[in-house]
Amino acid sequence: MFSNDYWMQAALREAEKAFELGEVPIGCVIVRDDVLIGKGHNLTEQLHDATAHAEMMAITAASAALESRYLLETTLYVTIEPCPMCAGAIVLARIPKLVFGAYDPKAGACGTLYHITEDARLNHQVHTIGGVLDRECASLVQSYFRKQRNPKSAD
């Protein structure tokens, strides 16, 4: 059985793909029975689509792989705490477990600003674990924004 760190490393590899494309470097993988069934990275700029977040891309891929809108018995790993849109999608997909890397003080909806995935008022709650490989996950995003602010010094 692979560890949370192992799968978060896979999510980081997805985030690096986003970084190379000039996207905010967030990556996501979805696992069932220790098998990767869906993966994705941010593609909002490439697709000109505000909903093309890493989690949304991975949920779409995993749903296609399982031929179901419900992703039961899965774990979603993402490098940054999901935003409200992605947290809502995780709940709607009935994903039972969420593991994320760095907390997001500006948009985090799974423990920082909101607690959407664990809100008892909703019809599904998600066991949520934050802070897995948080330094590595945060560092990649910080590098991206440093490069955006000062492109010459990032080379």
Side-chain angles (χ1 to χ4, degrees), residues 97-111:
K97 185 177 177 184
L98 161 67
V99 179
F100 67 85
Y103 286 85
D104 184 349
K106 294 185 179 181
C110 301

Side-chain angles (χ1 to χ4, degrees), residues 22-90:
E23 298 275 356
V24 176
I26 299 173
C28 181
V29 298
I30 299 176
V31 177
R32 183 174 182 190
D33 297 326
D34 248 3
V35 174
L36 190 146
I37 60 165
K39 61 184 178 176
H41 52 273
N42 274 6
L43 288 171
T44 58
E45 300 298 328
Q46 299 292 309
L47 299 178
H48 308 290
D49 181 355
T51 68
H53 289 197
E55 300 95 324
M56 304 299 276
M57 306 308 285
I59 288 169
T60 298
S63 293
L66 296 180
E67 298 181 338
S68 175
R69 69 183 178 130
Y70 296 124
L71 299 177
L72 307 174
E73 301 174 11
T74 64
T75 301
L76 184 145
Y77 294 88
V78 63
T79 56
I80 303 295
E81 180 182 2
C83 71
M85 174 185 69
C86 293
I90 291 165

